[in-house]
Amino acid sequence: MGVGTNLKKLRSKTKLSQQEIADMLGLDRNTYTNWENETTDIKSQYIPKLAEIFEVSILDLFQEGQKNQFVNNNYDNKNQDNAIGQKDIQQGIIINITDSEAAKMLSSQLEELIKSLKK
């Protein structure tokens, strides 16, 4: 089971459609669908936003057999980062993580980065 399967399960639990999530991320539905089907890798710039939408840690997106808990399944579009969706200025890298230790390390580092940016 990979990140695509986790995305499907999380989306099912939140009762959001692929289109709704794609809209929150400023993407075409096909792009998001390809992530769930694992036909393309998720660009790293979207990983923190996906964790925020599903209200899980970044690591939860990558771990197998997750039992995810949700506190609030509503997503406020007002909190959406204005830079997301402006495809003409987006840049990023694609990270394909197959090692759980690497996923843990990346998750920890990204969470620290996000916290420091919010200050």
Side-chain angles (χ1 to χ4, degrees):
M1 177 171 69
V3 68
T5 303
N6 288 342
L7 290 175
K8 285 179 192 177
K9 286 181 178 182
L10 291 165
R11 185 174 55 79
S12 174
K13 288 181 180 182
T14 60
K15 298 187 173 60
L16 293 170
S17 69
Q18 289 178 334
Q19 185 64 58
E20 288 172 318
I21 295 171
D23 290 344
M24 290 177 195
L25 296 169
L27 299 169
D28 293 331
R29 184 189 57 79
N30 289 337
T31 300
Y32 179 79
T33 300
N34 288 339
W35 294 349
E36 280 194 3
N37 294 332
E38 298 181 11
T39 55
T40 60
D41 292 327
I42 302 169
K43 288 187 178 180
S44 61
Q45 70 195 56
Y46 295 106
I47 294 170
K49 196 66 175 173
L50 284 165
E52 181 181 322
I53 289 169
F54 293 125
E55 297 180 357
V56 297
S57 73
I58 291 170
L59 185 58
D60 289 339
L61 295 174
F62 295 93
Q63 284 188 332
E64 294 185 27
Q66 284 301 306
K67 294 180 182 175
N68 300 301
Q69 297 179 359
F70 300 92
V71 176
N72 180 1
N73 292 337
N74 296 323
Y75 180 79
D76 184 359
N77 285 330
K78 294 176 190 171
N79 293 332
Q80 187 172 357
D81 183 357
N82 291 333
I84 294 177
Q86 298 176 0
K87 295 178 184 175
D88 54 330
I89 62 169
Q90 288 179 352
Q91 294 184 12
I93 59 171
I94 296 173
I95 301 173
N96 186 6
I97 301 175
T98 57
D99 178 354
S100 65
E101 287 301 314
K104 288 178 187 176
M105 185 184 328
L106 177 62
S107 174
S108 173
Q109 291 172 349
L110 285 172
E111 287 174 354
E112 287 178 26
L113 175 63
I114 292 167
K115 286 177 187 174
S116 71
L117 292 173
K118 288 184 178 180
K119 290 182 180 178

